[in-house]
């Protein structure tokens, strides 16, 4: 392999980006990266998910019912939980919450709050305790300020005296029935947070956020995915519902089988990006829902205005109407926003008027309005592929779905594939228009029967899947003059909620079980060796079984980078490789890092249940030989980076 020198300057003004899509699937938001510990904290509901006292259990003879409608805490939170004290004469009564399949209890500070309505003189006890033995790990007395006919917030801090041995724990609030009048108290918005990532109020769970940050990502795409679209036009993810105090957030009829709290809202996403130094790609709702609802042309303008307001909220100065609202929420400085995607997967909307309406008016109207106000924003079309240079004709597998984009638009390609197919797509973008790869993952094993979506996804990201995926990542990166970045999706999974098993990180309530999948290691390796420009390459052999690309990173004093993957050698043998970068002389150093599978089984994976980890990382310092060449060999099914910046 030999670089011939020269740069292809990317047009995006940043190094090639590895990132991820986040939407609330697999309890990746509520019960996931959003650090709230209480499940069903505000008795939110929607047509698909009726209100209930689920996840709460009575203590000492109390009974729990829903009070739906009379004198609510807020318009956004119309339901609350009525706790009847019952006939108990001895001890405190109350309720406990089981969290999202348990709670991690450690000797750090928890911050909690709850709202009460009803007469109560005395103290509430807030405690973290074992669900198995009732052992109390920590508790705090909270003096009642409660009054009849009025909702009053109570806040507290709680630091357990000891770590719980496992996450089978609950959070309880109890009170003395003798101090009540009327036999019941109403509770709502019961909230408990452990310390959060970068100490943000209403913030992110530390272990999950750190696992993401350690991957060195560049991009966060949000809020979906299907979540953006909503199950029906009246219930899309409306960013305005996610702003401000939690008691003003109504919650959302999630599209992945559960009610969502809206706790992880627009500001929280933006702060997440800020805290991890991520570029964002926002998806704006574009008049189409998953059930086939399509907004007619004459009704679309309010949603276009809404998208413009959303953009202004994010990046407008505090002098603008929506920038001022952001400033009022504590962030006067605008956030950076360079990428806006119109809708999600509209090209897949095969129902009547779906994709057609996108091409005929929905995309055009949004695009033109955004570009008129923000010409510098990169507008992304939610189409798989198209070639504006060819009058709307397309290349690639979605020929029939072509759209004639304005020349400044890039598309969004979502290959969920078998690893062989990802490898076949290595050169997929060599002659195509720009795209983000807004979602990608190896999801199904090669030759799966039944094929693809007729059968299940594989259990966890697995090694040959990860290597096939890495080949495609190199294919995208070597076209980074037109592709700004690649996004893994979906990124997180709570092991107790099954929607989509293939994710970068899996977790339970117990932080010790948080697991980086095999793919995390490949993405992390590539992301830790960024390039600002691709380099042309030439070779005396063709692609396969070795696939490669090369680049230079100006931000690291012109470090030269070669990325490669070995996929399916004929005899399982290692492959000898020589890399020569133009300008590199004999005696120069480079660092080779490569990943292999320690158990030899291409179907092996990192298992959050057993803790078994199968990725081996090998790092070597190489010295260039007489002609400035680095010589090494890579094993079958390996993923590698050679970087002239030596750690
Ligand atoms: O990532 C899971 C889903 O796959 C996304 O919500 C959707 O965009 C895609 O079809």
């Amino acid at each position: 392999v030999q670089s011939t020198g020269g740069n292809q300057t990317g047009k995006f003004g940043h190094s090639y980006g590895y990132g991820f899509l986040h939407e609330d699937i697999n309890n990746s938001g509520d019960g996931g990266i959003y650090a709230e510990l209480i499940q069903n904290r505000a008795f939110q509901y929607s047509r698909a998910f009726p209100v209930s006292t689920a996840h709460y259990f009575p203590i000492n003879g109390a009974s729990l019912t829903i009070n739906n409608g009379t004198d609510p805490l807020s318009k956004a939170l119309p339901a609350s939980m009525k706790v009847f004290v019952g006939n108990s004469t001895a001890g405190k009564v109350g309720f406990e919450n089981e969290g999202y399949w348990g709670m991690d209890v450690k000797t750090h500070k928890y911050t909690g709050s709850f709202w009460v309505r009803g007469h109560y003189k005395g103290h509430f006890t807030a405690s973290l305790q074992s669900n198995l033995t009732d052992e109390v790990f920590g508790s705090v007395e909270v003096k009642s300020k409660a009054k009849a006919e009025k909702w009053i917030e109570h806040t507290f801090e709680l630091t357990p005296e000891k770590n719980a041995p496992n996450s089978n724990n609950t959070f309880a609030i109890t009170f003395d029935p003798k101090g009540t009048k009327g036999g019941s108290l109403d509770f709502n918005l019961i909230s408990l947070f452990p310390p959060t990532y970068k100490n943000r109020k209403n913030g992110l769970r530390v272990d999950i956020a750190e696992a993401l940050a350690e991957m060195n990502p560049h991009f966060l795409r949000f809020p979906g995915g299907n979540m953006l679209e909503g199950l029906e036009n009246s219930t899309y993810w409306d960013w305005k519902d996610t702003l401000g105090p939690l008691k003003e957030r109504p919650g959302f009829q999630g599209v992945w089988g559960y009610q969502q709290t809206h706790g992880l809202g627009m500001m929280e996403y933006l702060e997440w990006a800020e805290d991890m130094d991520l570029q964002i790609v926002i998806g704006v709702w574009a008049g189409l829902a998953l059930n086939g609802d399509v907004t007619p042309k004459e009704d679309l303008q309010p949603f276009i205005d809404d998208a413009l307001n959303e953009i202004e909220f994010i990046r407008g100065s505090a002098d603008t109407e929506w920038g001022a609202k952001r400033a009022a929420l504590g962030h006067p400085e605008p956030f950076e926003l360079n990428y806006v995607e119109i809708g999600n997967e509209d090209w897949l909307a095969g129902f009547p008027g779906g994709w057609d309406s996108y091409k005929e008016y929905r995309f055009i109207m949004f695009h033109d309005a955004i570009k008129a106000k923000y010409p510098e924003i990169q507008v992304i079309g939610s189409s798989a592929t198209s070639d504006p240079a060819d009058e709307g004709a397309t290349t690639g597998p979605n020929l029939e779905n072509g759209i004639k984009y304005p020349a400044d638009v890039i598309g969004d390609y979502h290959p969920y594939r078998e690893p062989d197919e990802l490898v076949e797509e290595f050169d997929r973008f060599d002659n195509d228009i720009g795209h983000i790869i807004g979602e990608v993952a190896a999801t199904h094993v090669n030759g799966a029967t039944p094929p693809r979506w007729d059968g299940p996804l594989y259990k966890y990201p697995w090694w040959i899947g990860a290597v096939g995926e890495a080949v495609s990542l190199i294919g995208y990166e070597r076209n980074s003059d037109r592709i700004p970045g690649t996004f893994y999706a979906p990124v997180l999974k709570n092991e107790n909620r099954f929607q989509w098993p293939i994710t970068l990180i899996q977790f339970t309530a117990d932080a010790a079980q948080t697991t980086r999948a095999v793919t995390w290691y490949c993405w992390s390796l590539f992301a830790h060796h960024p390039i600002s420009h691709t380099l042309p390459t030439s070779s005396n052999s063709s692609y396969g079984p070795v696939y490669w690309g090369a680049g230079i990173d100006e931000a690291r004093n012109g470090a030269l980078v070669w990325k490669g993957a070995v996929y399916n050698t004929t005899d399982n043998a290692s492959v000898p490789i020589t890399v020569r970068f133009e300008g590199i002389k004999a005696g120069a150093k480079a660092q080779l890092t490569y990943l292999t599978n320690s158990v030899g089984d291409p179907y092996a994976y990192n298992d959050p249940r057993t803790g078994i980890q199968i990725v081996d990382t090998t790092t070597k310092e190489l010295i260039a030989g007489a002609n400035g060449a680095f010589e090494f060999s890579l094993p079958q099914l390996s993923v590698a980076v050679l970087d002239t910046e030596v750690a």
Side-chain angles (χ1 to χ4, degrees), residues 407-446:
D408 60 344
V409 167
I410 56 178
D412 181 0
Y413 184 51
H414 293 180
Y416 291 116
R417 299 275 191 275
E418 296 175 13
D420 275 359
E421 294 169 320
L422 288 169
V423 172
E424 275 160 29
E425 291 194 344
F426 177 70
D427 57 359
R428 164 82 166 70
F429 287 107
D430 292 357
N431 297 303
D432 204 352
I433 68 155
H435 282 78
I436 59 168
I437 314 302
E439 301 178 26
V440 58
T443 44
H444 297 80
V445 294
N446 289 326

Side-chain angles (χ1 to χ4, degrees), residues 21 23 25 225-227 256 344-345 348 414 416 439 489-490 500:
L21 162 73
E23 63 178 328
I25 179 173
N226 291 355
M227 185 174 101
W256 292 105
N344 178 62
E345 291 188 339
L348 281 177
H414 293 180
Y416 291 116
E439 301 178 26
W500 190 291

